[in-house]
Each structure stands twice: as structure tokens, then as C-alpha cells.
Amino acid sequence: MTRRLLTGNAAAAWGARLAGVDYVPAFPITPQTEIIETLARWFDGGEMRGRLTMLESEHSMVTAAAAAAATGVRVFTATSSQGLLYAMEMIHAVPGWRVPFVLANVSRGLATPITLEPDHNDVLAARDSGFLQIHCASCQEVHDSVLIAYRLAEDARVRLPVIVNLDGFYLSFTREPVEVADPAAARAFLPPFTGRGIEFRASRPVSQAAAVLGGSQYSYFRYETHLAALQALPAYAEIAAAFAEAFGRHHPAVEAYRSDDAEFVFVMIGSFATKARDAVDRLREAGARVGLVRPRLLRPFPAADLRRHLLGKRGIAVIDQNLSFGKGGVLHAELASVLYGEPGAPLLASFIGGLGGRDFAPEEFYEMIDVTRRAADSGRAPEPRLLYTAGELREMRKLQAIAAVERHEDGAGKP
Amino acid sequence: MYRIRFHGRGGQGMKTASCILGDAFFAEGFEVQDAPRYGAERRGAPIFAYVRADRAAINERGIIARPDLVVVADDTLVTVPAAAVLQGVGARTVLLICSNDDAATWTARLKRDCRVLTLPAPAAPEAGQAQAGVGALCAGAAAALVGVIGRAALERAVAAELAAHGAPVVARNTAQALAAYDALAAHQGLVSAGGAVDAGARAPVDWIDLAAEDAAAAAPDIHATATSLKAATGLWRVMRPVIDHAHCHKCSWICSTLCPDSAIAVDADHAPRIDYDHCKGCLVCVAVCPSHAIRAIPERGAAGAVP
């Protein structure tokens, strides 16, 4: 097994190649474009068999992906940020079709203001859609997760589309050592998809996704989708175990890093979680009992695993790289909902950081543990904290001063 | 862990530099992470790329705040605030600048306590030739300075990274990389691997509470008009289009219409004029001019060549 340096985008493309996908409907957007460029080159060069089609928008792209999946072929697609939002009508519609496919989302902060670098408000906008979500922290995980995602999506208990999420820039354009699976081993883990009853054909018309009225039948179908998503929890555990057996890398639904004997724990998702892992090592060197708990699965939400890892701890620093305006961090609220009322529920301290790719300094991780420790000592959860320094505000004030001068000059210049 | 940043302009090969150096470290048995930061995503605009290398798995991620080595491919970037060349440069940092000014001059100019080295700026290309990238040169220089990369690993890394461009490109870049590597032989190992930020004894964090402010100030609006005129995107140019008015047929519309930046205006006498404050040097005009009246010259030292 040899390792090579690959970007997260290339790792995602390799996952799709090794999955032997038949069809890739595509539409480019920064920072995802490299995925479809790579796949297009492979289709063109004959390394991949099947078809890649450029659609006129992400809305059409997701529709095409699901429609193709309904014929029983294996489908891969990818987008990011505003593109995911443009497809949002279909993102919510197609899980109810109960057809499996995989979509790589390269996270990028949403407008406004428009930006390129990552946070998770884009993928969290799809949180309640019925797509399952796997969140990656390394390029190796991106490669592995695409293969795992197909097994999960196609599992008879599940049959739902899966989003594999990787952060723009910090994974998408970052090369790391990746062990690309041997094609035969990948095929053994993920045999060609045979449709298993999913076989829409023009010669045998089926009206899929019919209309219902009155709410009763609607409730049935919607709750069935929810139950299918919940069944993805045991299915995922089995598939991750099979993956570990085949490739020697274990990707549990929840990564628990040095958390068993920890008093205080970071909880976060995505690639910046590796920085938290680093902070855990440094804090341990300084004598603090600290760990990291990182959900890889966000949908379905691995509630039981999180309870198992977090109940009995003194305090949790929940780091949200997202912001629900008028509420706060999404992960914080989700975590509170699975811990509230449980015996041994730890104190939760909420931190908002990494918006639009804003960096985390190592000292900030250490400080978050200090804040959480003080809160646990006092028994009161602190106010949510935006990671934002006096130096950052000073720079902002400089820009605002320029804007004020512009406004003044603009106004003065008008009759 | 080694933490290295390459600063240059789009088109100079800074991403290539980070890939070559990353490959070379990886071949020497290091764990590696390398990445470009594209900035404005335009030729000539400031860009940087970075490499981390360590014997253990790398969990650090994102931009490098405390570099051990900063390589600057284009010395005009040092004074561009958006390029942030000197960000995090401290006493242990080695700063290597491709410049025709010497290290003592730069040390006096910058007034930083870092170690400054220079390499001669790459020569301007021959007339009619595109500016060659300097990525391999920067990677070769960095490989020498860290002192843990052999000549053979560097050579293989250049070949691996540029093989798709053909043998002549590989040969030219290999020569460039090895020349820089050899030129810095006296400084082998000058750059040392930096440590982690100690969790026990650390600087305080100066987080502040943001206050709610009036929406008029708290919305990301630009009130001034014609602000794009104020951005001197002409600084991004690597090659400069020059109109030979003796050959211009004054068709009056082709170059000016097809210029993607509206940087070519037409005079009352139908002669096109290039706005060099905003021309980014894409050379579309050079390609489309039917009478071949627009040529391209290297930007470096071109000021005297403007008609």
C-alpha cells in the first residue's frame, strides 16, 4: 500500500473513481471545480467508464443525479456553498424518492458578504433534507468516506442520498498523504451496484414521488424517511467495521480522541478539528485532562455515541463553525438536546469560530478550556463566545473609517 | 515541524513551488501538508502557498502563522499590504527574497530581527517569450535551506510535478531548482524546525464582546462610486501589451471590445490606448489583433519601453 500526496478534491474524485460510478452530472463552483475537472479527465482518458454531463445549474444537476439514481445506476455529484443552496429545492425533494447517490459538498461560507473560504452554514442548510451527512477532517477521510457513503446510501435499510462534506481550502486544495485503495479491494468492499429493485425504465413507467393531500399520508412518508435515516446508524457502524477490516482504517460515527479519562472535551466537526486534536496533545503535556469528540456523522445524529462519550465529563467546549442567526451555534443546540436531562450531563460552553475560514490560534483552544473549566467550577454556562479579537476589531474599524469617509464624500458630492 | 511559506504573484509558480517542496519532503520520509492560497485568483495578483513537514502526523492546519522560512519570489510584494509577506516573521524566521538588492539593504529596509538572504531576481525573458515560472527555483532554495532534502529527492520532485508539461520544461526547471539549491549550499540547514505553542505558558487571548451596531455601519456596503478605478490592478501584470501604432489599422473596436477589463479605450482618431493602471496583462488583445500590431514585453524593466 503506497501513500501519495493528494488534495481533498482529488481524494473525493478517487473515491468516485474507485466506486466505479456510472454517471456524474456536474456544475462547477469554487472550491469544488477540481473534483469534476479530475473526473472529466479520467472519463476522457478512459480510466473511468460512464458519462459526465455538464448541466446548466446545480438545481438541474441534483435532479439529474436523483433521476439517474432511480434507474439503478451509481451516481456521483459535487457542489459547494451557493451551488448547494441553488439546488436546495431538489436537495429536499429527492431523499423522498428513496434512491441512493453520493454528493460531495466542499464547504464554503455563504453570502452575505460573499466569500470563498469555509464554514458549515452551507451544508447545515441541508441538515433537515433527508440527505445523510458525513463530515471529514482529513484528505484520507474524504477518500474513505466516499466509499463508505455508497455502501450506506445503497443499504436496503437506508436508501437515502449521502453528502460527504469536506472543507474548502483546508481540505479541498490541501495535499496530504492519502492511501488510495487498491481497485480490487475497493470493488470487494463496494461491489458494482445492481439496483436491487431500483430500476426505472422508460418502457416500464412508474410515477415516483406522487402527490398526497390531507397530511396523513404525508406524515407516513415523511416519518418513513426519518426512520430510514435512523436505521443508517446501525448500518453505518457495520459498514465502518467492514471498512476497517478491509483497509485498516477505522472511521466510527464519532471520533473520540483521548477523551476516555478527560475532564473537559472539545466537540467540533470538520477539518479544523485536527487543530483541536493538536491542542489536546499540548494541553495534556501541560497536565490538563482534555479530549476531543468529533461527530463524523451529523445526520443521522449519533446521539447514543455522543452520550456515551460525554456523560460524566465536567465540561464541553462546543465549537460551532456556523451561526444560526438569532439562536447561535447549531452543534451546541443539537448536543444540548441529546444531553439535557441525562444523569451526568456536562456543562456546555458555546463558542462560535472559524466563520468564513477565520483561523483558530492554538492559544484560543487553550483559552476555551480555561473558560469551560471556570464555568464548570461556578456551575453556570457562560454566554456564547464569538472567537474575535481586539486586533480583528481594530482592522474592521479601519475599514469602517474608510467607508465613513466614502459615505461623506459621496453624500457631499451630490446636489 | 517545518513551516514554510512561498509568496509570489499568480503565474509565477508558487503553488508549483509548494508541490515540489512537498514532494521532496515526502520522498525524504516526512509527513507533509501543502496548499496554495489563491487570493484574487488572477495572474499577477498576490498569492501564497505553504508547506508543513514533520516526522510525525500533522494535525496543524490552515495558514502558517509562525513561519520558519518565507520565500519571496517577487520583491515588489514586500510593500503590498494585501500580500502579508511579513506576517508572523520573527527572530527565528529566515526570509529569502529574490531581488537584485542585497541582504544588507533589505535588512536595513525591513528593520526586522529575522535573518535575510537574497537570490538574484530571475532575468527578464527574451522579447516575445513569456515570463518563465520561478516555482522550481524557490523550491530548490527552500530545499537547501532546510538541509534535510537531498539533491536527488529535489530532482525527482521537479520531474514528478512537471512531467505532464514535457521533457524540456522538466529539464529547464530541474536546472533552475538545482542551481538555487547549489547557490545556497553554504546555508544548508539554516532553517530549523519550529515547535508548538506551549499550552502551559502562553500569551493571553484578547477576545472582545462585539456590540450590536447600527445597520448602516454593520452591512458590508461600499458607498464610494467607481472604486474599481482605485484598485491599481495594473500591478498584477507580468507581461505588458504594447501597441505599435505604425502597424495599427485603427479598426477601432476589436482590442477595445474584447479586453475583459475595459482597459483599452479608443481616441477620437480611432487609435486604441491601453490604460496601464488597470491592464492585468492577460494578452487577449495581443492574440486578437488582426494586424499583429500589439506585442507583449516583460513587465520587469518595461517602464521605459512604453510608447
Side-chain angles (χ1 to χ4, degrees), chain A residues 51-67:
Chain A
R51 176 167 292 197
L52 181 146
T53 307
M54 292 299 289
L55 275 297
E56 74 277 16
S57 74
E58 291 88 350
H59 187 281
S60 306
M61 180 188 89
V62 171
T63 310

Side-chain angles (χ1 to χ4, degrees), chain B residues 12 19 46 55 64 102 106 140 161-162 169 215 230 232 247 251 302:
Chain B
Q12 283 188 307
C19 290
R55 292 292 181 187
I64 288 173
D102 64 13
W106 279 108
E161 210 49 56
L162 297 172
V169 172
K230 294 177 181 167
H247 282 91
C251 70

Side-chain angles (χ1 to χ4, degrees), chain B residues 218-303:
Chain B
D221 300 337
I222 296 171
H223 294 270
T225 52
T227 52
S228 54
L229 289 176
K230 294 177 181 167
T233 47
L235 286 173
W236 300 2
R237 203 166 50 236
V238 182
M239 297 294 285
R240 166 183 300 214
V242 177
I243 298 170
D244 180 351
H245 289 280
H247 282 91
C248 173
H249 290 186
K250 299 188 178 180
C251 70
S252 85
W253 69 273
I254 293 179
C255 60
S256 61
T257 306
L258 294 177
C259 172
D261 286 298
S262 301
I264 305 181
V266 180
D267 285 353
D269 67 349
H270 300 296
R273 301 280 170 206
I274 296 174
D275 166 11
Y276 288 111
D277 288 340
H278 299 101
C279 163
K280 295 173 187 160
C282 70
L283 309 187
V284 166
C285 55
V286 175
V288 299
C289 176
S291 53
H292 307 294
I294 310 178
R295 68 202 157 92
I297 63 170
E299 188 60 29
R300 191 180 280 274

Side-chain angles (χ1 to χ4, degrees), chain A residues 31-160:
Chain A
Q32 154 269 28
T33 307
E34 187 187 12
I35 297 177
I36 58 174
E37 283 175 345
T38 305
L39 292 173
R41 201 163 54 241
W42 287 337
F43 278 116
D44 203 38
E47 287 102 337
M48 287 180 75
R49 287 152 56 141
R51 176 167 292 197
L52 181 146
T53 307
M54 292 299 289
L55 275 297
E56 74 277 16
S57 74
E58 291 88 350
H59 187 281
S60 306
M61 180 188 89
V62 171
T63 310
T71 69
V73 301
R74 193 169 275 159
V75 178
F76 178 80
T77 189
T79 189
S80 174
S81 190
Q82 311 296 133
L84 186 71
L85 293 200
Y86 196 64
M88 198 52 77
E89 183 190 8
M90 298 314 292
I91 290 287
H92 278 261
V94 300
W97 299 8
R98 303 299 303 277
V99 295
F101 67 97
V102 173
L103 181 154
N105 182 65
V106 187
S107 264
R108 160 181 160 187
L110 297 175
T112 294
I114 200 155
T115 194
L116 295 177
E117 290 139 308
D119 66 36
H120 300 140
N121 265 87
D122 63 349
V123 67
L124 290 175
R127 183 189 64 173
D128 303 332
S129 66
F131 269 80
L132 309 183
Q133 294 193 8
I134 300 175
H135 288 252
C136 301
S138 70
C139 296
Q140 182 72 62
E141 257 188 71
V142 174
H143 164 281
D144 296 352
S145 295
V146 172
L147 295 174
I148 289 171
Y150 277 105
R151 281 269 298 252
L152 186 62
E154 292 166 3
D155 190 290
R157 291 164 286 183
V158 179
R159 272 184 49 171
L160 289 169

Side-chain angles (χ1 to χ4, degrees), chain A residues 3 117 175 366 370 397, chain B residues 31 34 37 197 202 213:
Chain A
R3 300 194 309 156
E117 290 139 308
R175 294 198 314 170
Y366 312 153
D370 282 353
R397 291 293 185 235
Chain B
E31 293 295 304
D34 63 57
R37 181 59 74 93
V197 178
R202 61 177 171 87
E213 298 183 324

Side-chain angles (χ1 to χ4, degrees), chain A residues 385-394 397, chain B residues 205-211:
Chain A
R385 157 65 64 194
L386 172 72
L387 304 194
Y388 194 79
T389 64
E392 289 178 279
L393 185 62
R394 208 156 45 236
R397 291 293 185 235
Chain B
V205 172
D206 61 343
W207 288 332
I208 44 136
D209 294 320
L210 267 188

